[in-house]
Amino acid sequence: MAELKNRSAYFEFAIEDKYVAGMALTGTEIKSIRSGKVSFNDSFCYFSKGELYVKSLHIAEYSHGSYANHDPLRERKLLLQKKELKKMEKKLQEKGYTIVPLRIFINDKGLAKMEIGLGKGKKLHDKRDSIKQREADRELRRNFKL
């Protein structure tokens, strides 16, 4: 099954909470996700009238689609329980918090799910720390062949 990760999200944001949300998709969108044609560039989540949407998530048009093919950049509704939505909306009121898509995967039942993270944007020095940590881990693996 396809698992697509947003690697830059962990570099740009300090993720505090993670949630798994369902996605409201069309038929050609799920087929494109299953073939791995998703780009997370600049994608983010926002609230509109108490509902959570993901914006700028690029799901490529399905290659065998017809006139019914989807718009690659359309806004997609994320499906979560009301108490989770209220908890996240309250957290977003605090300064610096944002919701970013972390990964898309297909669950056991064949449904597309999105893992989203609630986090704060990292400052430049935090990003440098992340790079140092990654290089130190790589050096350890190289030296000890882990």
Side-chain angles (χ1 to χ4, degrees):
M1 293 288 161
E3 181 175 312
L4 309 156
K5 293 184 178 180
N6 184 1
R7 293 174 55 208
S8 67
Y10 289 99
F11 184 69
E12 298 287 334
F13 299 95
I15 306 298
E16 292 181 10
D17 280 339
K18 292 181 184 176
Y19 300 91
V20 175
M23 299 171 66
L25 300 171
T26 64
T28 55
E29 285 175 329
I30 186 65
K31 290 178 179 187
S32 287
I33 288 173
R34 285 198 174 116
S35 60
K37 305 264 193 274
V38 178
S39 173
F40 288 98
N41 288 353
D42 301 327
S43 60
F44 62 96
C45 302
Y46 70 96
F47 279 95
S48 175
K49 298 178 185 165
E51 295 178 335
L52 189 63
Y53 291 89
V54 62
K55 191 171 179 129
S56 299
L57 179 71
H58 186 277
I59 299 177
E61 287 187 350
Y62 184 56
S63 57
H64 301 302
S66 60
Y67 67 92
N69 228 332
H70 63 276
D71 174 24
L73 286 173
R74 81 176 183 92
E75 297 172 11
R76 294 164 185 90
K77 185 176 175 181
L78 296 179
L79 309 170
L80 285 158
Q81 292 184 353
K82 277 215 187 309
K83 65 180 182 182
E84 290 178 319
L85 287 172
K86 286 180 180 166
K87 184 178 174 184
M88 285 198 302
E89 200 166 15
K90 191 178 287 184
K91 204 74 163 160
L92 274 183
Q93 303 302 323
E94 295 178 29
K95 190 173 187 302
Y97 278 100
T98 187
I99 301 173
V100 290
L102 301 175
R103 67 185 180 113
I104 294 178
F105 61 97
I106 308 293
N107 72 358
D108 300 337
K109 296 180 181 178
L111 301 173
K113 300 287 184 176
M114 178 183 282
E115 185 178 56
I116 55 177
L118 182 69
K120 286 188 172 186
K122 286 185 182 179
K123 302 281 190 270
L124 182 62
H125 61 273
D126 294 333
K127 291 179 188 176
R128 287 188 192 132
D129 291 343
S130 297
I131 293 170
K132 283 180 190 173
Q133 183 66 40
R134 185 173 58 219
E135 287 176 356
D137 291 344
R138 188 179 304 140
E139 195 66 33
L140 278 173
R141 280 196 302 273
R142 191 178 302 137
N143 289 341
F144 294 111
K145 307 246 188 293
L146 294 177

